[in-house]
Each structure stands twice: as C-alpha cells, then as structure tokens.
Amino acid sequence: MTKQNKELLEDEFIKTLKMGIQISNIQADLLEMNMKDLDKKMSKLGDDMSEALK
C-alpha cells in the first residue's frame, strides 16, 4: 500500500467515524425527546388515575 493510498484510507476512516458519531448524537437527542414525552404522558396518566380514584 502506498503512502498516498494509506492517507486516503485514513481520511475515509475519519470521515466515516465522524458521521457515525453524528448519527449517534442525533439518535441520543431523539431518544431524549421521546423519554421526555413519555415522562409527560406518564405524569398525566398518574394524575388522571388519581382523579378517577377520588
């Protein structure tokens, strides 16, 4: 493998790694949003159940 080929391969690896990290960050953000939404729904459900049991 020539030095130029090795450098190109390393560059592509770094680009792929950065894209993977960005995708992971996006997924983490989406998961956080979903968890917050679920927490709100669970709180409302708890409130509704408390009201129903009165």
Side-chain angles (χ1 to χ4, degrees):
M1 180 179 288
T2 66
K3 184 177 180 180
Q4 185 179 13
N5 284 347
K6 186 176 179 183
E7 289 172 354
L8 287 173
L9 187 60
E10 288 174 358
D11 287 345
E12 287 302 315
F13 173 76
I14 296 297
K15 286 179 191 176
T16 303
L17 184 61
K18 286 180 180 179
M19 286 191 322
I21 291 170
Q22 288 174 340
I23 290 169
S24 295
N25 286 337
I26 291 168
Q27 289 174 327
D29 290 344
L30 289 172
L31 179 60
E32 183 178 8
M33 287 178 7
N34 287 339
M35 293 299 290
K36 286 180 181 178
D37 187 49
L38 179 60
D39 188 50
K40 287 179 188 175
K41 288 177 180 178
M42 293 295 289
S43 291
K44 182 173 181 347
L45 179 61
D47 293 344
D48 290 348
M49 287 182 67
S50 294
E51 187 65 29
L53 294 174
K54 285 184 179 179

